[in-house]
RNA sequence: GCGAGAGUGGCGGAAUUGGCAGACGCACUGGACUUAGGAUCCAGCGGGCAACCGUGAGGGUUCAAGUCCCUCCUCUCGCACCA
């Protein structure tokens, strides 16, 4: 009898499917567990990253199932996206055909891995039954003002003639044609994620099941800063310029003002003061620079005087107003009060243009002088040269200044976020149409609900020149206004694919629901996701958008949860030869070859054994051999004892038995304990597998003396049953086969997880380590129930101990029960 | 620059609360079986002849430090003119 993975795997995959072993319903007699892995983009074939991600999720799902949970473990396809469109351009294949044939192929590959998905719940986001509901959400968001249209500066690729999402711009270049990306102002649809900035931030402090790293990244991305807005009157006018600052305590040191080149006031002021020509030259030049250069640190700070002055309300100082390249129009008010002594950018700017520097914060224990300063002092200190505020510690000063401002009506307390609203318009074909029409009379009108979905029209070919493909389809564009019936044009942009992935986990709960996006009861039963697993690359985008979406759906009355994912596991990358697997590096291992050569169980076992899930996994062909070898050894071991244990009832209860049987039972229970703890407390599958390997090593060495076999077989049966069940989540196919081989009924996958008795797991002897003056000098085997007196007697009687202690005085005696003795002698 | 994480044999990686450093696996060495072995099984495997020395470097706390404290070095990741 030889281990034949292909035959075994085919057999059990077929049986699981025939018997619907992994199909789930809302069974209220069991606790629920929703285990989810980030769904793949159907790019063509699965890669090692998928294998790792989905294997981790599968172990967790199968383990929880055996622990008695009702487990939802679904799979689907993030099916809209650019690669489909590119394939269409390059190969002339329709994006839908290309996508669906990829899905067919990848589904087969995933099934071949033996993952425990409930395939009846499979979804593809490009299906009208899916995006229909997304369009409905969009309309509801539009009605609540959470989806709106505005002009915005977008990344524009002049070669491809299209807008690029931020993630499609790599180091200032177009990801597809490598030309320099510029900006262009266009009408865009936005989702108002900033409305939820505070809540999104707030919850990061309560999400205990998420890695701290991800939470920190999200907090940084949201980028909350608190401070004040202050009005600076324009000299010779009633107008005011409003700035945002986080350092109101430094306002006495503000000596000039910087405003963004694209700020409408910039050219307006220049015109008024006869500086139009040179300011416009500067503005044009800066706006031509790409944003990546302009916002990088290397970019030199430069600016131009607009000719205008404003007045510092606190000091009465005339502050020249500069247009400066480093001021961002989109952040705060697009204008900044410049405090050169206490802000590095302003410092550099002031030095360059010879502007005054006034120190208003003194650090403790040193005195700053503007002439001798080499850089700005940005830390807290004591306020100086600040009128009635002089002498206040700067932190208190912030509060005092804000109160003063508000009293005087010069400004107010203010909070700013770095987070911007989410631009979702894409000039793409292969995406969900934005369900809006533009009527000459009624303006922007959402498509009525009963007309949803706005179907993506068939298209002959996609223009490689780019631009919105939908805009070229007359029958699609030309429509009538739902309100007045007059002539209207459809929106031709489609939605960012991140919109689809922001709610797919909800759809899985009732994937075939026709009356709504999902069935409320199923959502209330399954959500939130108990364990979410995926790559760290989505730490901000997908994970933040999903959080936002759930909060919006909550406020629209669809769900009653605040957060979608209770626990998050970010798995490490798959590395080979010191680099991430990638086509360009040529270090890709195709999972399909692996399966062909070793079978799915080996592929699974290796990815689990090589590293804990959250760490990077170093690929090693020899390591795969090792995994394969282990499965063979386990198979041969069970095969050898198969006849002996068939039909024998396993040992149960806490009676240890005697001799060999007792040793076997001790090993069995110890192993159950170790494997369970490693999986349960921290998902460290590598050490769980190591424990099982040790158990196999032990069992392989067993020599059963003639005549003893009767007494030993129940213990052996228990051992094999346990071993097989412990390994089932990791290598399910071979475990099903072995389960059958030892004569057990039903599916191993459906058995309850083995239990252990603490009494049996504990050993009856322990090895006592004896240290003398901090060095290990002896080891003694002791009975587990030996008390300190007994231990002391045994230690002092030990030959090696006597050698070191001799007649010397024992100055210290430390006893750690069941572990060690530490003796200090002079 | 700021933030987070990590440095342990030839390699991947183990070491509850400070308590035998190197589990388990790979590679390697020797042996057995064999026509053969790149299959399988058995044994060995941090360094050093040894006393001893060994967890990035140097200090410290402790009977005892990979683990705690201080200083420093290296690497990885994230953010980086956000006022």
């Amino acid at each position: 009898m030889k281990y034949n993975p292909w035959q075994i795997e085919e057999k059990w995959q077929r049986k699981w499917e025939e018997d619907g072993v992994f199909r789930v319903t809302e069974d209220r007699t069991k606790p629920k567990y929703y285990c989810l892995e980030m769904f793949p983009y159907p790019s063509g074939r699965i890669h090692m990253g998928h294998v790792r991600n989905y294997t981790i999720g599968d172990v967790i799902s199968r383990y929880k199932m055996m622990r008695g949970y009702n487990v939802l473990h679904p799979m689907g396809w993030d099916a809209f996206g650019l690669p489909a469109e590119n394939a269409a351009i390059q190969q002339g294949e329709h994006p839908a055909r290309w996508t669906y044939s990829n899905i067919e192929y990848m589904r087969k590959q995933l099934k071949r891995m033996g993952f425990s998905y409930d395939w009846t719940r499979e979804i593809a986001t490009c299906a009208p039954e899916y995006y229909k509901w997304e369009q409905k959400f969009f309309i509801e968001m539009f009605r609540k003002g959470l989806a709106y249209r505005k002009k915005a500066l977008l990344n524009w690729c002049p070669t491809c003639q299209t807008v690029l999402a931020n993630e499609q711009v790599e180091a200032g270049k177009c990801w597809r044609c490598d030309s320099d990306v510029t900006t262009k102002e266009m009408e865009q649809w936005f989702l108002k994620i900033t409305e939820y900035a505070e809540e999104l931030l707030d919850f990061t402090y309560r999400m205990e099941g998420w890695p701290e790293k991800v939470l920190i990244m999200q907090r940084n991305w949201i980028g909350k800063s608190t401070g004040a807005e202050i009005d600076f009157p324009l000299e010779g006018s009633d107008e005011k310029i409003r700035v945002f600052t986080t350092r109101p305590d430094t306002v006495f040191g503000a000596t000039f003002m910087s405003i963004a080149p694209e700020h409408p006031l910039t050219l307006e002021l220049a015109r008024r003061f006869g500086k139009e020509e040179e300011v416009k030259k500067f503005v044009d030049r800066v706006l031509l620079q790409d944003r990546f250069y302009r916002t990088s640190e290397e970019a030199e700070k430069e600016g131009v005087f607009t000719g205008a002055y404003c007045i510092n309300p606190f000091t009465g100082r005339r502050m020249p107003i500069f247009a400066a390249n480093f001021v961002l129009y989109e952040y705060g008010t697009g204008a900044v009060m410049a405090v050169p002594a206490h802000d590095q950018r302003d410092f550099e700017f002031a030095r360059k243009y010879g502007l005054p520097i006034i120190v208003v914060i003194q650090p403790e224990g040193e005195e700053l002088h503007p002439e001798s300063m080499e850089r700005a002092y940005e830390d807290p200190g004591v306020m100086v040269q600040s009128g009635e505020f002089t002498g206040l510690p700067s932190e208190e000063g912030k509060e005092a200044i804000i109160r003063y401002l508000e009293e005087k009506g010069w400004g107010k307390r203010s909070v700013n976020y770095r987070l911007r609203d989410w631009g979702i318009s894409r000039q793409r074909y292969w995406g969900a149409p934005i369900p809006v029409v533009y009527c000459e009379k009624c303006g922007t009108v959402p498509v009525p609900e009963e007309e949803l979905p706005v179907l993506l029209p068939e298209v002959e070919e996609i223009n490689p020149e780019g631009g919105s493909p939908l805009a070229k389809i007359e029958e699609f564009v030309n429509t009538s206004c739902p309100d007045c019936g007059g002539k209207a044009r459809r929106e031709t942009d489609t939605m960012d694919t991140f919109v689809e992935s922001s709610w797919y986990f909800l759809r899985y709960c009732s994937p075939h629901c026709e009356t709504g996006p999902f069935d409320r009861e199923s959502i209330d039963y399954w959500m939130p996701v108990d364990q979410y697993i995926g790559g760290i690359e989505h730490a901000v985008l997908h994970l933040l958008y999903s959080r936002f979406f759930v909060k919006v759906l909550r406020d629209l009355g669809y769900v009653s949860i605040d957060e979608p994912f209770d626990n998050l596991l970010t798995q490490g990358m798959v590395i080979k030869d010191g680099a991430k697997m990638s086509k360009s590096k040529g270090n890709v291992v195709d999972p399909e070859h692996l399966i062909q050569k070793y079978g799915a169980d080996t592929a699974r076992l290796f990815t689990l054994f090589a590293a804990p899930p959250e760490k990077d996994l170093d690929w090693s062909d020899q390591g795969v051999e090792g995994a394969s070898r282990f499965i063979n050894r386990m198979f041969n071991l069970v095969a050898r004892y198969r006849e002996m244990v068939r039909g024998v009832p396993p040992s149960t209860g806490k009676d240890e038995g005697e001799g060999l049987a007792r040793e076997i039972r001790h090993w069995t229970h110890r192993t159950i304990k170790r494997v369970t703890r490693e999986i349960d407390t921290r998902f460290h599958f590598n050490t769980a597998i190591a424990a099982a390997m040790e158990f196999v090593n032990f069992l392989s060495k067993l020599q059963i003396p003639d005549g003893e076999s009767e007494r030993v077989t129940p213990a052996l049966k228990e051992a094999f049953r346990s071993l097989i069940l412990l390994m089932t989540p990791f290598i399910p196919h071979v475990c099903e086969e072995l389960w059958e081989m030892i004569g057990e009924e039903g599916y191993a996958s459906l058995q309850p997880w083995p239990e252990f008795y603490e009494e049996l797991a504990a050993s009856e002897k322990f090895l006592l380590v004896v240290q003398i003056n901090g060095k290990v000098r002896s080891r003694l085997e002791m009975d587990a129930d030996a008390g300190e007196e007994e231990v002391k007697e045994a230690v002092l009687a030990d030959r090696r101990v006597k050698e070191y202690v001799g007649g010397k005085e024992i100055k210290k005696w430390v006893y750690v029960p069941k572990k060690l003795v530490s003796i200090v002698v002079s």
Side-chain angles (χ1 to χ4, degrees):
Chain A
M1 173 161 290
K2 215 169 159 275
Y3 171 55
N4 179 335
W6 307 278
Q7 195 190 326
I8 290 173
E9 289 170 8
E10 196 274 326
K11 167 180 166 186
W12 292 101
Q13 282 161 15
R14 200 188 62 236
K15 280 173 164 284
W16 290 332
E17 186 146 359
E18 280 169 6
D19 288 351
V21 167
F22 301 113
R23 227 170 277 162
V24 277
T25 54
E26 283 107 82
D27 177 353
R28 279 162 214 284
T29 63
K30 290 192 214 163
K32 70 95 183 180
Y33 192 88
Y34 188 172
C35 180
L36 182 68
E37 301 116 44
M38 290 180 185
F39 66 166
Y41 177 77
S43 56
R45 27 179 57 216
I46 59 169
H47 57 246
M48 284 313 304
H50 293 132
V51 169
R52 186 173 194 207
N53 189 173
Y54 302 152
T55 302
I56 292 166
D58 199 48
V59 173
I60 296 171
S61 296
R62 286 171 172 274
Y63 171 73
K64 289 289 177 184
M65 222 172 122
M66 293 174 80
R67 285 316 288 258
Y69 288 89
N70 190 34
V71 175
L72 175 58
H73 188 213
M75 181 43 73
W77 312 96
D78 189 12
F80 274 137
L82 261 183
E85 222 160 308
N86 292 338
I89 292 166
Q90 280 153 25
Q91 300 156 32
E93 207 182 346
H94 192 277
R97 269 247 308 285
W98 184 85
T99 302
Y100 278 107
S101 82
N102 284 349
I103 288 175
E104 285 298 311
Y105 193 80
M106 289 172 75
R107 187 194 301 116
K108 264 188 209 134
Q109 289 189 304
L110 293 182
K111 287 191 174 178
R112 189 62 193 79
M113 285 297 296
F115 296 137
S116 61
Y117 298 124
D118 178 355
W119 282 105
T120 65
R121 291 174 183 260
E122 178 182 352
I123 57 173
T125 57
C126 62
E129 308 83 71
Y130 184 82
Y131 67 73
K132 171 181 178 177
W133 304 113
E134 190 163 305
Q135 291 174 336
K136 183 170 193 285
F137 295 148
F138 178 88
I139 289 165
E140 290 186 35
M141 287 168 82
F142 172 73
R143 295 222 158 94
K144 281 196 79 177
L146 290 170
Y148 65 94
R149 210 157 100 102
K150 72 161 185 203
K151 277 198 166 176
L153 274 184
L154 300 169
N155 304 307
W156 176 260
C157 173
T159 311
C160 303
Q161 285 283 299
T162 188
V163 161
L164 298 173
N166 286 332
E167 59 271 21
Q168 289 153 2
V169 181
E170 290 160 1
K173 309 263 186 203
C174 172
W175 70 309
R176 213 163 71 183
C177 69
D178 216 34
S179 45
D180 285 330
V181 173
T182 61
T183 55
K184 189 172 176 175
E185 195 170 50
M186 290 180 75
E187 290 272 346
Q188 269 266 106
W189 280 97
F190 286 88
L191 299 186
K192 216 171 189 174
I193 191 170
T194 52
E195 182 105 348
Y196 287 85
E198 190 60 41
E199 194 191 334
L200 287 166
L201 177 67
D202 194 37
F203 270 81
T204 64
Y205 293 97
R206 301 183 228 166
M207 295 158 69
E208 283 163 20
W210 282 42
E212 193 59 22
K213 181 188 168 79
V214 174
L215 296 174
I216 288 170
M217 283 167 74
Q218 293 209 351
R219 282 177 210 143
N220 289 343
W221 186 265
I222 294 167
K224 179 180 182 177
S225 38
T226 54
E229 286 178 15
I230 307 176
D231 289 328
F232 287 72
L234 208 54
E235 189 185 56
S237 148
D238 294 339
E239 295 160 87
K240 289 169 178 151
I241 299 181
R242 174 160 279 212
V243 302
F244 171 73
T245 179
T246 55
R247 294 294 303 271
D249 53 314
T250 64
V251 67
F252 283 83
T255 55
F256 61 100
M257 179 171 293
S258 310
I259 61 178
E262 54 275 65
H263 198 296
L265 259 180
T266 304
L267 285 175
E268 162 70 23
L269 291 176
R271 201 168 299 131
R272 246 185 257 173
F273 292 91
K275 297 249 187 187
E276 191 171 5
E277 201 174 316
E278 54 184 299
V279 173
K280 188 159 191 331
K281 228 165 84 186
F282 172 78
V283 168
D284 286 347
R285 186 161 58 81
V286 171
L287 293 189
L288 268 179
Q289 287 173 354
D290 77 285
R291 267 199 308 202
F292 293 88
Y293 175 71
R294 210 182 124 195
T295 57
S296 74
E297 215 165 356
E298 308 95 72
E300 197 182 336
K301 284 150 200 51
E302 48 181 351
V304 64
F305 179 43
T306 60
Y309 288 87
C310 62
I311 305 299
N312 185 331
F314 285 81
T315 59
R317 173 184 276 276
R318 278 180 95 212
M319 295 165 53
I321 302 172
F322 281 77
N325 64 342
F326 62 88
V327 180
L328 305 172
Y329 182 50
E330 312 88 60
Y331 186 78
T333 61
V336 216
M337 68 176 201
V339 184
H342 306 293
D343 181 286
Q344 186 57 23
R345 292 157 302 181
D346 298 341
F347 183 82
E348 288 171 34
F349 198 88
R351 276 281 152 89
K352 179 164 178 176
Y353 295 100
L355 297 158
I357 299 172
I358 301 175
V359 171
V360 291
I361 306 290
Q362 280 293 358
E364 225 167 303
E366 75 179 292
E367 207 175 309
L368 297 173
H369 295 285
E371 320 78 59
S372 58
M373 283 172 83
E374 280 170 13
R375 52 178 302 117
Y377 176 79
E378 296 180 322
D379 292 329
V382 175
M383 292 171 72
V384 295
Q385 300 190 72
S386 297
E388 60 187 274
F389 301 96
T390 296
L392 269 185
S394 54
E395 287 306 310
E396 283 173 43
K398 282 182 186 170
E399 278 304 306
I401 298 268
I402 290 171
R403 276 197 304 273
Y404 188 81
L405 275 177
E406 291 185 327
E407 250 167 57
K408 291 274 188 181
W410 293 347
K412 58 169 198 196
R413 182 182 303 279
S414 171
V415 175
N416 251 287
Y417 300 91
R418 210 184 71 114
L419 183 71
R420 307 285 151 77
D421 278 337
W422 175 14
I424 57 158
S425 298
R426 297 290 180 269
Q427 291 69 41
R428 297 288 171 203
Y429 170 72
W430 195 231
I434 295 174
V436 162
V437 302
Y438 303 105
C439 168
E440 285 163 22
K441 271 186 260 161
C442 315
T444 305
V445 183
V447 173
E449 211 180 290
E450 56 284 3
E451 284 177 30
L452 295 181
V454 176
L455 281 175
L456 203 51
E458 289 285 323
V459 70
E460 287 302 310
E461 59 170 358
I462 292 164
N463 187 351
E465 299 305 309
S468 262
L470 293 182
K472 300 183 187 101
I473 304 171
E474 294 290 315
E475 314 86 85
F476 179 78
V477 178
N478 295 321
T479 185
S480 54
C481 172
D483 282 1
C484 71
K487 270 179 81 175
R489 294 175 61 80
R490 274 188 201 282
E491 168 68 64
T492 57
D493 284 351
T494 53
M495 285 191 248
D496 182 1
T497 57
F498 276 107
V499 180
E500 281 90 64
S501 56
S502 292
W503 68 282
Y504 75 106
F505 42 88
L506 299 170
R507 183 71 182 170
Y508 279 140
C509 298
S510 48
H512 309 297
C513 183
E514 288 175 6
T515 53
F518 32 74
D519 170 65
R520 183 63 187 254
E521 272 189 31
S522 63
I523 292 285
D524 288 343
Y525 176 80
W526 289 114
M527 288 298 292
V529 171
D530 292 276
Q531 185 65 56
Y532 198 30
I533 308 148
I536 186 83
E537 65 272 20
H538 293 109
V540 176
L541 295 171
H542 162 60
L543 289 168
L544 190 65
Y545 293 149
S546 298
R547 294 183 57 216
F548 159 63
F549 229 80
V550 162
K551 289 176 195 297
V552 170
L553 292 179
R554 175 199 62 197
D555 293 347
L556 290 173
Y558 281 102
V559 299
S560 37
I561 49 169
D562 295 311
E563 289 284 340
F565 313 121
D566 249 7
N567 295 288
L568 174 69
L569 177 73
T570 49
Q571 106 255 8
M573 290 185 303
V574 183
I575 303 285
K576 189 167 183 263
D577 311 322
K580 184 184 174 168
M581 281 190 184
S582 74
K583 272 186 216 142
S584 57
K585 299 239 170 54
N587 59 349
V588 179
V589 175
D590 186 346
E592 196 154 303
H593 296 156
L594 202 61
I595 294 172
Q596 273 164 19
K597 191 163 175 196
Y598 298 98
D601 280 335
T602 294
R604 298 170 59 114
L605 189 68
F606 174 71
T607 57
L608 294 164
F609 182 62
E614 67 278 7
K615 286 182 107 184
D616 285 348
L617 184 156
D618 224 6
W619 190 264
S620 144
D621 292 332
Q622 285 102 336
V624 179
E625 292 278 351
S628 168
R629 208 140 51 201
F630 169 72
I631 297 176
N632 266 289
R633 294 205 316 125
M634 179 170 156
F635 184 91
N636 294 335
L637 170 72
V638 178
R640 188 157 80 239
Y641 285 101
R642 176 183 48 159
E643 294 305 332
M644 195 189 275
V645 298
R646 272 178 96 96
V648 174
S651 302
T652 51
K654 299 183 187 180
D655 279 340
E656 291 118 321
E658 282 171 31
L660 196 50
R662 180 188 180 126
E663 205 185 339
I664 293 169
R665 293 208 73 198
H666 164 62
W667 260 94
T668 301
H669 286 254
R670 196 171 85 100
T671 304
I672 299 172
K673 182 179 176 180
R674 285 174 71 191
V675 172
T676 305
R677 197 184 47 200
E678 293 299 320
I679 299 178
D680 219 82
T681 58
R682 47 178 202 173
F683 299 148
H684 274 202
F685 309 125
N686 55 333
T687 47
I689 293 165
M693 285 173 166
E694 285 182 58
F695 191 31
V696 168
N697 290 344
F698 162 77
L699 291 169
S700 302
K701 277 181 203 147
L702 277 185
Q703 305 254 329
I704 298 168
D706 292 343
E708 271 236 44
S709 82
E710 294 268 306
R711 284 223 307 272
V712 169
T713 42
L716 257 189
K717 180 65 169 279
E718 185 193 28
F720 286 133
R721 274 182 58 101
S722 307
L723 171 68
I724 292 165
L725 295 180
L726 291 178
M727 290 307 287
T728 296
F730 305 101
I731 44 175
H733 310 89
V734 68
C735 287
E736 293 283 8
E737 184 71 14
L738 294 173
W739 186 250
E740 191 178 71
M741 267 165 59
I742 61 166
E744 294 293 298
E745 302 278 321
Y747 288 101
S749 303
L750 295 177
Q751 301 306 310
W753 189 251
E755 301 277 348
F756 66 90
Y757 293 112
E758 198 64 64
E759 300 92 315
L760 292 179
S763 47
E764 49 222 6
K765 301 260 187 193
F766 72 94
L767 197 67
L768 180 81
V769 172
V770 183
Q771 295 183 351
I772 296 164
N773 288 344
K775 294 210 161 71
V776 177
R777 294 301 184 191
S778 187
R779 295 179 177 89
L780 300 173
E781 189 166 81
M782 302 291 301
D783 285 335
D785 53 3
E788 183 165 358
E789 276 312 305
E790 257 174 275
V791 166
K792 192 162 187 171
E793 226 171 276
V795 166
L796 294 179
D798 182 64
R799 193 174 46 80
R800 300 242 312 149
V801 173
K802 278 184 181 158
E803 225 175 89
Y804 284 95
V805 175
K808 290 175 226 159
E809 184 202 354
I810 295 181
K811 287 167 75 176
K812 188 153 191 169
W813 166 272
V814 180
Y815 175 55
V816 182
K818 301 203 173 168
K819 280 210 176 101
L820 90 148
V821 162
S822 187
I823 300 169
V824 183
V825 295
S826 44

